Amino acid sequence: MPKASMGAGFLAAAGGSWEPQRQNAFEVEIYDLPMGEEIISLSVDTASLPSITFGEIELNHLNERRYVAGGVTFETTSLVCKDFVNQDVMKSLNAWSQQVYNPFNGRMGFASDYKKSASIFLYGPDGGSDRAWNLIGCWPQTVNFGGTLDQSAKDAVSTMELTVRYDRAVPGDLSGGAGQGLGRAFPG
């Protein structure tokens, strides 16, 4: 039996169903940064959500092949932060990157010092949140401290780009359901 067409009347209806997730309703928190979480959290302009790739294992038998899931790879995520001169955004990102590699003595840092936990919170139009992603084992793989400077850019704000490598991404549920305890209570 064919499904009856519902039309577009159900989208963002007065009854509150099918409310779209807005792209600008999010926050990123990176816990235990050298100069505090708030500086970076309030500076984030854009962020990418986790991307997961599943490898494959090929099973050969006679003239046929079958495939099963192999290992999992969590792709890097990117952050673009606005540079606020009076909030030491650059200094905070630099301090974190120097936990990975110290340019003054040429030494690499310990993973236990530079790997952090982070959360990406997605908000509804009312500011409520029951959706989050928790990123475990984050570290700055690439830091671009501003790119090209331009004297003619009168209406532009300087930004810094950060590529974050992480070990694992876990969807959080802040409503008390599955995954309870993740999200804002997650900093470790």
Side-chain angles (χ1 to χ4, degrees), residues 90-125:
M90 183 181 287
K91 193 181 283 186
S92 180
L93 291 177
N94 192 39
W96 188 21
S97 71
Q98 285 185 21
Q99 288 182 328
V100 177
Y101 167 74
N102 186 328
F104 299 104
N105 62 24
R107 294 187 179 142
M108 298 302 292
F110 287 100
S112 60
D113 292 330
Y114 63 74
K115 280 191 168 186
K116 310 296 181 191
S117 294
S119 295
I120 302 172
F121 299 100
L122 304 173
Y123 297 108

Side-chain angles (χ1 to χ4, degrees), residues 48-112:
S48 59
L49 291 171
S51 177
I52 304 168
T53 302
F54 299 99
E56 66 178 40
I57 298 171
E58 183 177 305
L59 305 172
N60 292 299
H61 184 74
L62 299 174
N63 295 320
E64 296 185 351
R65 294 184 180 104
R66 298 294 183 262
Y67 299 91
V68 296
V72 63
T73 300
F74 294 95
E75 306 300 332
T76 59
T77 191
S78 62
L79 298 177
V80 175
C81 297
K82 294 182 212 81
D83 188 11
F84 294 101
V85 176
N86 62 345
Q87 293 300 320
D88 290 330
V89 177
M90 183 181 287
K91 193 181 283 186
S92 180
L93 291 177
N94 192 39
W96 188 21
S97 71
Q98 285 185 21
Q99 288 182 328
V100 177
Y101 167 74
N102 186 328
F104 299 104
N105 62 24
R107 294 187 179 142
M108 298 302 292
F110 287 100
S112 60

Side-chain angles (χ1 to χ4, degrees), residues 6-23:
M6 295 175 57
F10 66 95
L11 291 174
S17 63
W18 296 86
E19 185 69 41
Q21 175 67 51
R22 283 135 173 104
Q23 285 190 332

